[in-house]
Amino acid sequence: MSMPALTSDSAPKIVPTASAPTAASASVVTMTPKQPPKAERYVKMAREAAVRVVPPLIVLALFLIVWELLCRRAGSALPPPSRVFSDTRELIFDPFFDHGGIDKGLFWHLEASLRRVAIGYAIAAIVGVAVGTLIGQSVWAMRGLDPIFQVLRTIPPLAWLPLSLAAFRDGQPSAIFVIFITSVWPIIINTAVGIRNIPQDYRNVAAVVQLNPLEFFAKIMIPAAAPYIFTGLRIGIGLSWLAIVAAEMLIGGVGIGFFIWDAWNSSHISEIVLALFYVGIIGFVLDRLIATVGKVVTRGTATN
Amino acid sequence: MAYLKLDHVDKTFTRGATTTEVLKDINLTIEKGEYVSIIGHSGCGKSTMLNIVAGLTTATSGGVLLEEREVNSPGPDRAVVFQNHSLLPWLTVYENVRLGVDKVFAKTKTRAERDAWTMHNLNLVQMAHAKDKRPNEISGGMKQRVGIARALAMEPKVLLLDEPFGALDALTRAHLQDSVMALHQKLGNTILMITHDVDEAVLLSDRIVMMTNGPSAHIGEVLEVALPRPRKRLELATNATYVKCRQRVLEFLYERHRFVEAA
């Protein structure tokens, strides 16, 4: 009984003392933040951007300086950054030339690699989601397939290449197959986990509404498992970009992998450095791309 | 003639070598337009009973008859309002309701009619203003309203409420109870509700089915709540019949079938 008595006692005491200053200070407080918001907001945004951009720039500059210092002396095995730039000036500023054969600009090499990745990865995405759904949905499919997949997924991508060359008797489909076989496992496994984790509630809703299997797949399974599926897709795109360079080194032809190998054979070390830079940037962009698509697609599900 | 009938329903769960009898010989008939509550301590199998009526679980023996026909698979004629709303988070409020409408009235209503019917049901629960919001953008009470709209929109023969107000705070709960009462008054649905709240059961129901404790739970007693409708929460507090009904349920739950903590 003492609790309510205490609160009702203290409540009226607070009201008169508090109301006067809040009324007075409220007019001041609401006025002040209204005046300088624009300039302040830009400063704030600039500061936030600087916090993100400046540290990596500093590290990059330090890295280039150290590299330059280490490799500047005569007889150094690797070229310093300044040499890389002067050696590859043509390649940087004219990526679109095409002299026939494999004597093409870097754009065409990267385009050929990206095309192989796009095809192999697209097949992997479709097959991976389909097989993952099967494994996630059916206990028997899981029991039968999961142990086999666990073994297969540990095989290094390049180990598949000779076998696929023997099967396809051509470089192009072999490279695509290697991309596919590399990136399909994480997609399968993550999709299966996502499907298995669909809450029983959603299944109940689908049962009451009487969705048919196709509608259930499209309207419940895929959206509910989307965060998991995109985790797999993101790992998959990274792996396929890792695998393409190695595969192309072996199959030859146009492609960034063979460009690097060709540069090594011709002792154009600077060209290798430039190609690695592009490979890194593109890998980064691919990863971000899938992450962004995933974020947009799963905006409802992820925040559940 | 019984509208909904549970006929000698038994349910046992088998896990490995152990078999647990959850429900034993449940017999219950519900008339059209009746509001029946099932009350009992947690673990007494009342959710299992509702799931059997919904068709989400199958009875081990016995069966459920709806208008003289056996039902053993889920369907929109027995729409469920789930305890945790179970709205699909990637769909808007409107799309959540529309999903059921599109399936149930695929052949009988045109696209425009389905849209109008969806909006009509959102209006019934006063949620039309939030039709483009996603479930994570609205409050718990609002989610449950949408859940009710989704179920109502399927025009179920029996509306099954699985502790629909359990996850809500007291004020929201009272508000929603009044809404459900008003809807029942207006639409005349047959409703089977699970609850563990004595006041809620007495306030809303025509009959209260009291379950004994499990395992082998069965119907211990059925209480008629002879209160005229529409019922007013405030006036009932001192109503003699209300107080007596409440007393009866409390006695059943806390004296005769006290909840024994499972070891």
PDB file of all heavy atoms in Angstrom, chain B residues 62-82:
ATOM      1  N   GLY B  62     -10.733 -41.718 -33.793  1.00  0.00           N
ATOM      2  CA  GLY B  62     -11.830 -40.762 -33.750  1.00  0.00           C
ATOM      3  C   GLY B  62     -11.665 -39.744 -34.847  1.00  0.00           C
ATOM      4  O   GLY B  62     -10.728 -39.818 -35.639  1.00  0.00           O
ATOM      5  N   GLY B  63     -12.574 -38.780 -34.923  1.00  0.00           N
ATOM      6  CA  GLY B  63     -12.469 -37.821 -36.012  1.00  0.00           C
ATOM      7  C   GLY B  63     -13.282 -36.570 -35.766  1.00  0.00           C
ATOM      8  O   GLY B  63     -13.972 -36.434 -34.750  1.00  0.00           O
ATOM      9  N   VAL B  64     -13.146 -35.635 -36.701  1.00  0.00           N
ATOM     10  CA  VAL B  64     -13.840 -34.360 -36.616  1.00  0.00           C
ATOM     11  C   VAL B  64     -14.825 -34.274 -37.769  1.00  0.00           C
ATOM     12  O   VAL B  64     -14.466 -34.543 -38.918  1.00  0.00           O
ATOM     13  CB  VAL B  64     -12.831 -33.190 -36.703  1.00  0.00           C
ATOM     14  CG1 VAL B  64     -13.554 -31.861 -36.651  1.00  0.00           C
ATOM     15  CG2 VAL B  64     -11.804 -33.284 -35.592  1.00  0.00           C
ATOM     16  N   LEU B  65     -16.058 -33.918 -37.459  1.00  0.00           N
ATOM     17  CA  LEU B  65     -17.074 -33.778 -38.492  1.00  0.00           C
ATOM     18  C   LEU B  65     -17.512 -32.320 -38.566  1.00  0.00           C
ATOM     19  O   LEU B  65     -17.852 -31.715 -37.545  1.00  0.00           O
ATOM     20  CB  LEU B  65     -18.288 -34.657 -38.182  1.00  0.00           C
ATOM     21  CG  LEU B  65     -18.028 -36.158 -38.106  1.00  0.00           C
ATOM     22  CD1 LEU B  65     -19.191 -36.849 -37.429  1.00  0.00           C
ATOM     23  CD2 LEU B  65     -17.809 -36.719 -39.493  1.00  0.00           C
ATOM     24  N   LEU B  66     -17.474 -31.776 -39.762  1.00  0.00           N
ATOM     25  CA  LEU B  66     -17.969 -30.419 -39.970  1.00  0.00           C
ATOM     26  C   LEU B  66     -19.130 -30.532 -40.939  1.00  0.00           C
ATOM     27  O   LEU B  66     -18.957 -31.002 -42.068  1.00  0.00           O
ATOM     28  CB  LEU B  66     -16.853 -29.544 -40.547  1.00  0.00           C
ATOM     29  CG  LEU B  66     -17.211 -28.088 -40.863  1.00  0.00           C
ATOM     30  CD1 LEU B  66     -17.667 -27.347 -39.633  1.00  0.00           C
ATOM     31  CD2 LEU B  66     -16.013 -27.370 -41.479  1.00  0.00           C
ATOM     32  N   GLU B  67     -20.291 -30.144 -40.486  1.00  0.00           N
ATOM     33  CA  GLU B  67     -21.520 -30.325 -41.258  1.00  0.00           C
ATOM     34  C   GLU B  67     -21.623 -31.763 -41.757  1.00  0.00           C
ATOM     35  O   GLU B  67     -21.833 -32.020 -42.934  1.00  0.00           O
ATOM     36  CB  GLU B  67     -21.571 -29.351 -42.442  1.00  0.00           C
ATOM     37  CG  GLU B  67     -21.770 -27.918 -42.008  1.00  0.00           C
ATOM     38  CD  GLU B  67     -21.952 -26.979 -43.187  1.00  0.00           C
ATOM     39  OE1 GLU B  67     -21.170 -27.093 -44.146  1.00  0.00           O
ATOM     40  OE2 GLU B  67     -22.869 -26.159 -43.148  1.00  0.00           O
ATOM     41  N   GLU B  68     -21.441 -32.701 -40.832  1.00  0.00           N
ATOM     42  CA  GLU B  68     -21.621 -34.133 -41.111  1.00  0.00           C
ATOM     43  C   GLU B  68     -20.532 -34.732 -41.990  1.00  0.00           C
ATOM     44  O   GLU B  68     -20.594 -35.905 -42.336  1.00  0.00           O
ATOM     45  CB  GLU B  68     -22.993 -34.415 -41.777  1.00  0.00           C
ATOM     46  CG  GLU B  68     -24.171 -33.793 -41.064  1.00  0.00           C
ATOM     47  CD  GLU B  68     -24.626 -34.613 -39.881  1.00  0.00           C
ATOM     48  OE1 GLU B  68     -25.071 -35.745 -40.091  1.00  0.00           O
ATOM     49  OE2 GLU B  68     -24.500 -34.126 -38.739  1.00  0.00           O
ATOM     50  N   ARG B  69     -19.563 -33.935 -42.391  1.00  0.00           N
ATOM     51  CA  ARG B  69     -18.514 -34.496 -43.247  1.00  0.00           C
ATOM     52  C   ARG B  69     -17.185 -34.490 -42.512  1.00  0.00           C
ATOM     53  O   ARG B  69     -16.835 -33.521 -41.848  1.00  0.00           O
ATOM     54  CB  ARG B  69     -18.396 -33.685 -44.548  1.00  0.00           C
ATOM     55  CG  ARG B  69     -19.564 -33.947 -45.471  1.00  0.00           C
ATOM     56  CD  ARG B  69     -19.576 -32.986 -46.614  1.00  0.00           C
ATOM     57  NE  ARG B  69     -18.399 -33.107 -47.464  1.00  0.00           N
ATOM     58  CZ  ARG B  69     -18.198 -32.335 -48.522  1.00  0.00           C
ATOM     59  NH1 ARG B  69     -19.067 -31.395 -48.835  1.00  0.00           N
ATOM     60  NH2 ARG B  69     -17.133 -32.499 -49.267  1.00  0.00           N
ATOM     61  N   GLU B  70     -16.462 -35.593 -42.654  1.00  0.00           N
ATOM     62  CA  GLU B  70     -15.206 -35.696 -41.924  1.00  0.00           C
ATOM     63  C   GLU B  70     -14.151 -34.759 -42.515  1.00  0.00           C
ATOM     64  O   GLU B  70     -14.031 -34.633 -43.742  1.00  0.00           O
ATOM     65  CB  GLU B  70     -14.673 -37.129 -41.959  1.00  0.00           C
ATOM     66  CG  GLU B  70     -13.476 -37.263 -41.037  1.00  0.00           C
ATOM     67  CD  GLU B  70     -12.926 -38.668 -40.950  1.00  0.00           C
ATOM     68  OE1 GLU B  70     -13.346 -39.524 -41.732  1.00  0.00           O
ATOM     69  OE2 GLU B  70     -12.049 -38.873 -40.086  1.00  0.00           O
ATOM     70  N   VAL B  71     -13.431 -34.112 -41.642  1.00  0.00           N
ATOM     71  CA  VAL B  71     -12.312 -33.274 -42.098  1.00  0.00           C
ATOM     72  C   VAL B  71     -11.027 -33.816 -41.489  1.00  0.00           C
ATOM     73  O   VAL B  71     -10.960 -34.082 -40.296  1.00  0.00           O
ATOM     74  CB  VAL B  71     -12.494 -31.798 -41.709  1.00  0.00           C
ATOM     75  CG1 VAL B  71     -13.577 -31.160 -42.534  1.00  0.00           C
ATOM     76  CG2 VAL B  71     -12.802 -31.640 -40.235  1.00  0.00           C
ATOM     77  N   ASN B  72     -10.028 -34.037 -42.319  1.00  0.00           N
ATOM     78  CA  ASN B  72      -8.754 -34.510 -41.765  1.00  0.00           C
ATOM     79  C   ASN B  72      -7.543 -33.849 -42.422  1.00  0.00           C
ATOM     80  O   ASN B  72      -6.428 -34.294 -42.280  1.00  0.00           O
ATOM     81  CB  ASN B  72      -8.638 -36.035 -41.873  1.00  0.00           C
ATOM     82  CG  ASN B  72      -9.063 -36.521 -43.234  1.00  0.00           C
ATOM     83  OD1 ASN B  72      -9.026 -35.749 -44.194  1.00  0.00           O
ATOM     84  ND2 ASN B  72      -9.460 -37.775 -43.337  1.00  0.00           N
ATOM     85  N   SER B  73      -7.798 -32.772 -43.166  1.00  0.00           N
ATOM     86  CA  SER B  73      -6.669 -32.000 -43.694  1.00  0.00           C
ATOM     87  C   SER B  73      -7.010 -30.522 -43.544  1.00  0.00           C
ATOM     88  O   SER B  73      -8.177 -30.166 -43.455  1.00  0.00           O
ATOM     89  CB  SER B  73      -6.438 -32.350 -45.162  1.00  0.00           C
ATOM     90  OG  SER B  73      -7.552 -31.952 -45.918  1.00  0.00           O
ATOM     91  N   PRO B  74      -5.987 -29.670 -43.470  1.00  0.00           N
ATOM     92  CA  PRO B  74      -6.268 -28.257 -43.250  1.00  0.00           C
ATOM     93  C   PRO B  74      -6.994 -27.623 -44.435  1.00  0.00           C
ATOM     94  O   PRO B  74      -6.882 -28.098 -45.568  1.00  0.00           O
ATOM     95  CB  PRO B  74      -4.877 -27.633 -43.067  1.00  0.00           C
ATOM     96  CG  PRO B  74      -3.899 -28.648 -43.478  1.00  0.00           C
ATOM     97  CD  PRO B  74      -4.563 -29.961 -43.542  1.00  0.00           C
ATOM     98  N   GLY B  75      -7.738 -26.584 -44.164  1.00  0.00           N
ATOM     99  CA  GLY B  75      -8.441 -25.904 -45.241  1.00  0.00           C
ATOM    100  C   GLY B  75      -9.005 -24.579 -44.770  1.00  0.00           C
ATOM    101  O   GLY B  75      -9.137 -24.339 -43.566  1.00  0.00           O
ATOM    102  N   PRO B  76      -9.338 -23.717 -45.719  1.00  0.00           N
ATOM    103  CA  PRO B  76      -9.821 -22.386 -45.366  1.00  0.00           C
ATOM    104  C   PRO B  76     -11.196 -22.382 -44.703  1.00  0.00           C
ATOM    105  O   PRO B  76     -11.594 -21.369 -44.134  1.00  0.00           O
ATOM    106  CB  PRO B  76      -9.861 -21.648 -46.712  1.00  0.00           C
ATOM    107  CG  PRO B  76      -9.854 -22.712 -47.738  1.00  0.00           C
ATOM    108  CD  PRO B  76      -9.188 -23.916 -47.162  1.00  0.00           C
ATOM    109  N   ASP B  77     -11.925 -23.523 -44.745  1.00  0.00           N
ATOM    110  CA  ASP B  77     -13.208 -23.548 -44.042  1.00  0.00           C
ATOM    111  C   ASP B  77     -13.016 -23.589 -42.529  1.00  0.00           C
ATOM    112  O   ASP B  77     -13.953 -23.421 -41.776  1.00  0.00           O
ATOM    113  CB  ASP B  77     -14.055 -24.747 -44.522  1.00  0.00           C
ATOM    114  CG  ASP B  77     -13.302 -26.064 -44.360  1.00  0.00           C
ATOM    115  OD1 ASP B  77     -12.069 -26.027 -44.201  1.00  0.00           O
ATOM    116  OD2 ASP B  77     -13.957 -27.118 -44.410  1.00  0.00           O
ATOM    117  N   ARG B  78     -11.773 -23.868 -42.092  1.00  0.00           N
ATOM    118  CA  ARG B  78     -11.455 -23.826 -40.662  1.00  0.00           C
ATOM    119  C   ARG B  78     -10.232 -22.928 -40.483  1.00  0.00           C
ATOM    120  O   ARG B  78      -9.156 -23.391 -40.125  1.00  0.00           O
ATOM    121  CB  ARG B  78     -11.182 -25.235 -40.129  1.00  0.00           C
ATOM    122  CG  ARG B  78     -12.431 -26.063 -39.911  1.00  0.00           C
ATOM    123  CD  ARG B  78     -12.149 -27.523 -40.065  1.00  0.00           C
ATOM    124  NE  ARG B  78     -11.845 -27.840 -41.462  1.00  0.00           N
ATOM    125  CZ  ARG B  78     -10.757 -28.498 -41.844  1.00  0.00           C
ATOM    126  NH1 ARG B  78      -9.882 -28.899 -40.978  1.00  0.00           N
ATOM    127  NH2 ARG B  78     -10.551 -28.736 -43.128  1.00  0.00           N
ATOM    128  N   ALA B  79     -10.406 -21.653 -40.757  1.00  0.00           N
ATOM    129  CA  ALA B  79      -9.272 -20.727 -40.716  1.00  0.00           C
ATOM    130  C   ALA B  79      -8.795 -20.540 -39.281  1.00  0.00           C
ATOM    131  O   ALA B  79      -9.582 -20.523 -38.351  1.00  0.00           O
ATOM    132  CB  ALA B  79      -9.675 -19.386 -41.310  1.00  0.00           C
ATOM    133  N   VAL B  80      -7.481 -20.432 -39.138  1.00  0.00           N
ATOM    134  CA  VAL B  80      -6.883 -20.332 -37.807  1.00  0.00           C
ATOM    135  C   VAL B  80      -6.297 -18.940 -37.608  1.00  0.00           C
ATOM    136  O   VAL B  80      -5.644 -18.403 -38.501  1.00  0.00           O
ATOM    137  CB  VAL B  80      -5.747 -21.371 -37.641  1.00  0.00           C
ATOM    138  CG1 VAL B  80      -5.242 -21.376 -36.208  1.00  0.00           C
ATOM    139  CG2 VAL B  80      -6.226 -22.756 -38.042  1.00  0.00           C
ATOM    140  N   VAL B  81      -6.532 -18.368 -36.431  1.00  0.00           N
ATOM    141  CA  VAL B  81      -5.781 -17.185 -36.012  1.00  0.00           C
ATOM    142  C   VAL B  81      -4.733 -17.690 -35.040  1.00  0.00           C
ATOM    143  O   VAL B  81      -5.051 -18.190 -33.972  1.00  0.00           O
ATOM    144  CB  VAL B  81      -6.690 -16.143 -35.339  1.00  0.00           C
ATOM    145  CG1 VAL B  81      -5.871 -14.974 -34.834  1.00  0.00           C
ATOM    146  CG2 VAL B  81      -7.756 -15.665 -36.305  1.00  0.00           C
ATOM    147  N   PHE B  82      -3.463 -17.593 -35.446  1.00  0.00           N
ATOM    148  CA  PHE B  82      -2.391 -18.180 -34.657  1.00  0.00           C
ATOM    149  C   PHE B  82      -1.985 -17.261 -33.517  1.00  0.00           C
ATOM    150  O   PHE B  82      -2.110 -16.035 -33.613  1.00  0.00           O
ATOM    151  CB  PHE B  82      -1.172 -18.454 -35.548  1.00  0.00           C
ATOM    152  CG  PHE B  82      -1.459 -19.453 -36.639  1.00  0.00           C
ATOM    153  CD1 PHE B  82      -1.816 -19.026 -37.912  1.00  0.00           C
ATOM    154  CD2 PHE B  82      -1.377 -20.809 -36.401  1.00  0.00           C
ATOM    155  CE1 PHE B  82      -2.082 -19.932 -38.920  1.00  0.00           C
ATOM    156  CE2 PHE B  82      -1.639 -21.723 -37.407  1.00  0.00           C
ATOM    157  CZ  PHE B  82      -1.994 -21.289 -38.673  1.00  0.00           C
TER     158      PHE B  82
END
